[in-house]
Amino acid sequence: MNSEPCRLRIALELLPVTDSNFEPRAFANRVGAWLSQAGPEPDVVVSCRVRLARNLAGFPFVTRLPERQAVELAGKLRESLRERSVDGAELVWVDLPEASNLGRLVLRERHLVSRDLAPVEPHREVPAGRAVTFSVAETTSAMVNEEDHLRLQGLASGLDLSLAFRRVRGFDLMIEESVDLAVSRRLGYLTACPTNVGTGMRASVMLHLPALGLVRTELEKVFTAAQRTGLAVRGMYGEGSRAAGDFYQISNQVTLGRREEDLLADLHSLVPCIVAFERRVRAALQEELGDALADRVQRSLAMLRNASAMPTEIALQNLSNVRLGRALGLLGDLVVDNLDALAVRIQKGHLQAQATDVAEGDLIDAAERDKLRASFLHQQFGAEEL
C-alpha cells in the first residue's frame, strides 16, 4: 500500500465559454467555483443561493409577453450587459432556442436554468427570447424570460448567505444602472407571482442530512420546524423535485411585507440548529451503530468502484454514504475531494457530454447512461489502489 494518502480529484479548471462557442462537452468537464470550494460548515451545508425576481418597466409579464417583445426584451438586456464583467470576467450569454437539448440539460443540472425555461422534451420547443447569462465562475447568473423577465441568482459555498446575497445584489444594482425595473412605491418590486411581490427574493440553503434521513422521525421534526418558521423544504432541484442522496433545500416562501434582512434572518436562525441536530444524530449513530455504519460506507465505496451499471438515485445515495463516511472519519487514509461536484457530474446530461465516444445529438437511453455513470465512477474511485 502507498504510504501517501490516496487522493481522488476532479479537474476543475475554469475555461471561458462564450455564446458563440457554447459547447456542452467543454462546459461539463469543469464546475463552478461554488462547487469546487468549501465554505463554512461544509460537512452539512453544501451551498447557499439567493434569487431576485425582477421585471422591466414597459413590458407585459412573461405570461402575456408576445414573442416579438420577448426577443426585444432579451436584446435590450443583452446590450445592457455587453462589456460588463463579474468576478473579473465577461458574462456568458446563451440563447436557449439556439442551444442543443444536451446543452440545455447540462445548464439545468448546473442550477443555471430551470426546467420551465429550458425544456428538453422532443415535443416542447423553447420560445424565442429565452436566455441565460452567467459569470464564468457560475456564482452569479440570470434567467431571462422565465416566470419573470429576470431571475437573478447568487451562489456561495457552504453556509454563507451573506456572500450569496452580496453577489446577487451587486448584479441587481449593475442591471438597474441601465434598464428601468417595474417597481411600486407601495408594494416594492412587481412580479408575475403575487408571493414574490416586495423584495422579490427567495433564499435557500442546500443541506446534506444523511443521519436524519436514517431516522425519519427526527427528519420530520426538521420539516415541522421549517414550516412553523414560514420556510419550505424541497429536493435537490427545488420546487417540484424529490430529495435524492439526502440533499434538501430549505427556502423562504413569501416576500411581500418582508425586508431582505428579515428573510435571511429566518434562515440564519433555523439552519444552524439543523446543522447541530444533524451532527448530534451522526454522533449518536456512530456510537450506537458504529460497525454497521462503517460497513454501510464501505459497501457504498465498493459499489462506486465495481458496479457495471448504476441509476442516478442509487449513485447519489452511495455518494451520500461516502460523504457521511468522510465527515465521520470512516474512510481510513482515503481522501476524497469534490464529492459535491461529482453529484452534478453524474447527472444524465453531464454524463453524455463528458463521454467522448458518445454523440452530442439525441439524449441516450437510461440503460446506456447507467453504464456510463458506473464507468465514470470507476475512474473517480478506482484509479488508485488502497
Side-chain angles (χ1 to χ4, degrees):
M1 176 186 283
N2 192 330
S3 60
E4 292 293 320
C6 174
R7 182 176 291 272
L8 306 180
R9 293 187 180 276
I10 303 170
L12 300 173
E13 65 273 13
L14 291 175
L15 305 176
V17 184
T18 67
D19 57 333
S20 60
N21 69 350
F22 175 69
E23 295 289 343
R25 184 154 288 157
F27 189 67
N29 277 291
R30 55 94 169 178
V31 295
W34 66 277
L35 272 173
S36 61
Q37 300 167 357
E41 318 291 359
D43 59 317
V44 179
V45 185
V46 177
S47 62
C48 294
R49 178 174 67 185
V50 179
R51 278 184 173 173
L52 300 175
R54 300 289 187 257
N55 288 279
L56 273 63
F59 289 87
F61 287 134
V62 171
T63 53
R64 295 181 174 272
L65 189 66
E67 183 176 293
R68 173 185 56 80
Q69 285 188 289
V71 173
E72 178 189 350
L73 186 150
K76 184 174 183 177
L77 285 169
R78 183 172 185 176
E79 185 60 32
S80 73
L81 295 172
R82 191 179 298 278
E83 298 181 0
R84 297 277 191 158
S85 65
V86 175
D87 300 327
E90 290 185 359
L91 289 161
V92 178
W93 181 283
V94 181
D95 286 309
L96 293 171
E98 305 299 321
S100 66
N101 273 356
L102 182 60
R104 292 195 292 268
L105 183 56
V106 169
L107 288 167
R108 205 161 82 185
E109 292 168 355
R110 289 283 261 275
H111 301 272
L112 290 168
V113 300
S114 66
R115 187 180 299 271
D116 288 335
L117 185 70
V120 298
E121 295 79 7
H123 63 281
R124 292 184 63 186
E125 292 187 1
V126 180
R130 291 192 176 191
V132 62
T133 184
F134 53 92
S135 62
V136 172
E138 298 174 44
T139 52
T140 309
S141 63
M143 294 188 288
V144 179
N145 286 328
E146 196 229 27
E147 183 178 274
D148 294 285
H149 298 154
L150 277 169
R151 282 289 179 93
L152 310 176
Q153 175 176 269
L155 284 164
S157 301
L159 185 54
D160 202 341
L161 281 162
S162 297
L163 177 57
F165 178 68
R166 288 198 303 273
R167 284 172 170 164
V168 74
R169 185 55 177 155
F171 197 23
D172 184 32
L173 292 173
M174 185 176 77
I175 288 173
E176 286 194 44
E177 291 174 359
S178 53
V179 298
D180 294 326
L181 298 180
V183 184
S184 161
R185 187 180 297 273
R186 182 172 66 90
L187 297 174
Y189 290 101
L190 302 180
T191 59
C193 180
T195 60
N196 290 327
V197 170
T199 64
M201 189 176 93
R202 289 289 178 100
S204 64
V205 179
M206 180 81 76
L207 299 168
H208 181 228
L209 305 175
L212 290 170
L214 289 171
V215 188
R216 297 297 299 184
T217 54
E218 301 301 308
L219 187 62
E220 291 297 332
K221 294 178 183 177
V222 171
F223 296 162
T224 301
Q227 290 166 359
R228 287 175 178 169
T229 315
L231 302 173
V233 182
R234 300 186 173 99
M236 179 184 285
Y237 285 92
E239 191 168 357
S241 66
R242 296 187 303 163
D246 302 306
F247 291 104
Y248 297 88
Q249 280 192 50
I250 295 184
S251 63
N252 68 290
Q253 297 187 81
V254 178
T255 71
L256 184 60
R258 308 289 308 281
R259 299 179 306 160
E260 288 97 338
E261 295 84 353
D262 298 332
L263 297 170
L264 293 176
D266 289 343
L267 285 166
H268 273 302
S269 63
L270 180 63
V271 171
C273 298
I274 298 174
V275 171
F277 192 18
E278 167 69 19
R279 287 174 178 161
R280 286 199 303 273
V281 176
R282 289 181 186 185
L285 288 174
Q286 190 168 21
E287 182 176 350
E288 297 173 14
L289 303 168
D291 290 342
L293 200 58
D295 182 63
R296 182 185 182 92
V297 171
Q298 290 302 319
R299 279 189 286 113
S300 283
L301 194 55
M303 284 281 289
L304 293 168
R305 285 175 168 155
N306 301 307
S308 58
M310 191 174 292
T312 306
E313 288 198 9
I314 293 176
L316 285 172
Q317 189 56 60
N318 284 318
L319 288 174
S320 174
N321 291 337
V322 171
R323 198 180 194 278
L324 175 61
R326 179 180 63 182
L328 296 178
L330 300 176
L331 297 181
D333 62 355
L334 177 64
V335 181
V336 187
D337 291 337
N338 305 314
L339 283 172
D340 297 332
L342 266 185
V344 172
R345 295 185 71 200
I346 63 167
Q347 301 295 322
K348 59 184 180 182
H350 278 71
L351 281 174
Q352 183 166 341
Q354 292 167 129
T356 56
D357 57 342
V358 176
E360 291 189 29
D362 295 336
L363 299 180
I364 59 178
D365 62 32
E368 189 172 354
R369 278 200 307 269
D370 292 349
K371 292 178 183 177
L372 277 177
R373 186 175 295 108
S375 177
F376 175 73
L377 289 167
H378 294 170
Q379 295 171 24
Q380 307 306 319
F381 289 94
E384 300 180 48
E385 292 183 1
L386 291 179

